[in-house]
Amino acid sequence: MDHVTSTPTLKAPAERFTGDVYLNMISTPTEPARLAAALVRFTPGARTNWHSHALGQVLHITDGVGLVGTRDGDVVRVSAGETVTCPAGEEHWHGALDTNLMAHIAMVVGDGTGDGTTWLEPVTDEQYTAALATVTDGLADPS
């Protein structure tokens, strides 16, 4: 058994995220294990770049309110207690609403050569604003 009592909080790399995002690794696998898991905290308006995972990704929202969007324009509003599964190879992004923090546990099964993540370009402000509009139109209080 390995009992981890704490992990350092790291600022997420600016080349993969927009805004302030912080990571605490929960599981960093060594072969033969392949499950990587991290607690990821997004400040309001912060988000990942577009990316995909060779074997998919599971996001479990632990706090706040956020968005998960795909290249085909699907956007879901997520909040604490909800889980989103991103299929293998699907280009997507995730982050906080512009008015709320959001935190999730991100889980990825590696492909044997790493975590299988392909990082792409940033989500533009225009794409983010359009995503916000799809989930907040008609809501009196989007938080």
Side-chain angles (χ1 to χ4, degrees), residues 46-139:
R47 56 198 180 266
T48 67
N49 282 10
W50 288 103
H51 62 285
S52 65
H53 304 278
L55 299 175
Q57 181 180 46
V58 175
L59 305 170
H60 179 74
I61 314 316
T62 60
D63 191 31
V65 184
L67 303 171
V68 180
T70 63
R71 283 280 189 194
D72 63 8
D74 285 343
V75 178
V76 293
R77 182 178 188 267
V78 294
S79 58
E82 297 178 352
T83 301
V84 175
T85 301
C86 303
E90 178 179 68
E91 292 183 6
H92 67 280
W93 64 273
H94 29 103
L97 286 188
D98 58 343
T99 56
N100 295 83
L101 296 166
M102 190 270 287
H104 63 48
I105 297 174
M107 295 166 272
V108 177
V109 175
D111 62 3
T113 62
D115 71 3
T117 303
T118 300
W119 288 100
L120 304 164
E121 78 277 7
V123 173
T124 66
D125 289 343
E126 293 76 17
Q127 290 169 321
Y128 179 75
T129 299
L132 277 174
T134 66
V135 298
T136 59
D137 280 350
L139 293 177

